[in-house]
Amino acid sequence: MSITVPSLKIGPIEFASRLLVGTGKYTTYEQMAEALSESGCQVVTVAVRRERMSDAKGRNILDFIDPVQYTLLPNTAGCFSADDAVRTARLGRELLEGLGNRGSAWVKLEVLGDKKTLLPDPVGTLEALKELKADGFVVLCYTSDDPIMAQRLKDAGAAAVMPAGSPIGSGQGVLNPWSIRIILEQLKAGDESYPIIVDAGVGTASDVTVAMELGADGVLLNTGIAGAKDPLAMARAMRLAVESGYLAARAGRIPRKLYATASSPLEGVIGAKV
């Protein structure tokens, strides 16, 4: 029997990989392209406003991302108001429509509260979500690990909710697994296929595995790969971590106990008391 990780469906689109990867902070476009390939991802997110659309040589980032191999996910990173996020999303749609990429109809919505923490602004996020939904977007919502806010975003029509493991770029991993578990339980009640993607704060492969073992449907990350000493090796590690965590979550771990339990029977052991 072959054991495989099933595909992930977000809105109308289905993916074999459950790892979503960003495009910022790489040394070169060539390194970025190699890391994306090594990660096995099929969704590549691009910050429409802040992302370098061209390098010092005048080369465009989109020349290094195959629009047939990857679904581009424009995001509104760097926006601190609902109005800016909506304008940025529309700009991303215009850019991708010309490429014929199926990502042109969706957006990863980020509305941030301040520049120091980069934590989400829940009011601005909800306002922007409603406007983008009315404009026909498929919206994936970045949010904090607050279960109440996550529920409100789902109720308002988010195609996926993306709670932060920890602050963006912090590399702290999943700081509050209990909140992530509550979000998973509440948003999937009666709707098991609803996608919950852990986003932000992932520093290494074990952080990805923890998120997946909690029951997340996928992980989105950028700095964890781009900022590693060896981005290609880390990209492969992240790929394996997603698969490992997914399978472990459904395989069922053994209970934690205070004292030891022998793996083999003690009967017949020399010197053992009968």
Side-chain angles (χ1 to χ4, degrees):
M1 181 180 69
S2 175
I3 300 175
T4 58
V5 175
S7 59
L8 168 66
K9 187 175 183 181
I10 304 175
I13 312 178
E14 203 159 338
F15 306 99
S17 172
R18 292 171 177 267
L19 181 62
L20 296 73
V21 178
T23 53
K25 298 185 177 180
Y26 288 97
T27 304
T28 64
Y29 285 156
E30 287 83 355
Q31 184 189 64
M32 176 199 73
E34 289 184 77
L36 295 179
S37 177
E38 200 63 48
S39 75
C41 74
Q42 294 175 307
V43 178
V44 175
T45 184
V46 179
V48 174
R49 174 176 287 181
R50 295 190 307 173
E51 186 60 64
R52 296 174 298 162
M53 299 306 290
S54 61
D55 65 9
K57 300 178 182 177
R59 302 178 303 175
N60 192 297
I61 187 173
L62 297 180
D63 292 336
F64 292 82
I65 303 173
D66 183 351
V68 176
Q69 180 179 357
Y70 299 109
T71 296
L72 295 171
L73 173 60
N75 70 64
T76 63
C79 292
F80 291 86
S81 73
D83 287 343
D84 285 350
V86 170
R87 281 197 294 269
T88 301
R90 289 171 177 160
L91 174 61
R93 180 165 61 184
E94 291 176 10
L95 290 171
L96 294 188
E97 279 178 340
L99 297 176
N101 190 274
R102 60 180 180 173
S104 61
W106 67 349
V107 63
K108 179 198 163 191
L109 174 61
E110 288 186 30
V111 181
L112 304 176
D114 66 67
K115 294 182 179 179
K116 183 176 182 179
T117 67
L118 297 180
L119 292 173
D121 174 351
V123 176
T125 301
L126 194 55
E127 289 176 356
L129 168 61
K130 292 176 179 176
E131 189 164 348
L132 290 170
K133 280 290 296 177
D135 201 14
F137 279 92
V138 174
V139 187
L140 290 69
C141 273
Y142 172 64
T143 183
S144 67
D145 58 10
D146 175 8
I148 304 302
M149 188 61 203
Q151 185 67 59
R152 290 191 176 187
L153 293 172
K154 182 187 176 186
D155 293 344
V161 171
M162 310 178 79
S166 52
I168 293 172
S170 70
Q172 299 179 64
V174 177
L175 289 180
N176 194 339
W178 301 105
S179 286
I180 299 294
R181 288 182 62 180
I182 293 172
I183 289 172
L184 287 160
E185 179 182 323
Q186 291 187 346
L187 272 60
K188 285 180 173 294
D191 189 8
E192 184 60 32
S193 63
Y194 186 78
I196 310 294
I197 313 293
V198 169
D199 180 8
V202 172
T204 188
S206 59
D207 297 335
V208 170
T209 305
V210 167
M212 296 301 293
E213 286 187 355
L214 288 170
D217 296 287
V219 173
L220 189 151
L221 59 90
N222 183 165
T223 308
I225 294 177
K229 290 182 180 177
D230 186 341
L232 303 188
M234 185 61 83
R236 172 55 69 99
M238 297 297 193
R239 175 183 192 163
L240 298 174
V242 165
E243 297 180 8
S244 177
Y246 180 92
L247 294 174
R250 285 143 186 89
R253 63 159 296 130
I254 64 171
R256 291 184 172 89
K257 297 186 294 187
L258 182 60
Y259 295 107
T261 302
S263 299
S264 302
L266 293 177
E267 290 81 0
V269 174
I270 297 175
K273 296 180 179 178
V274 180

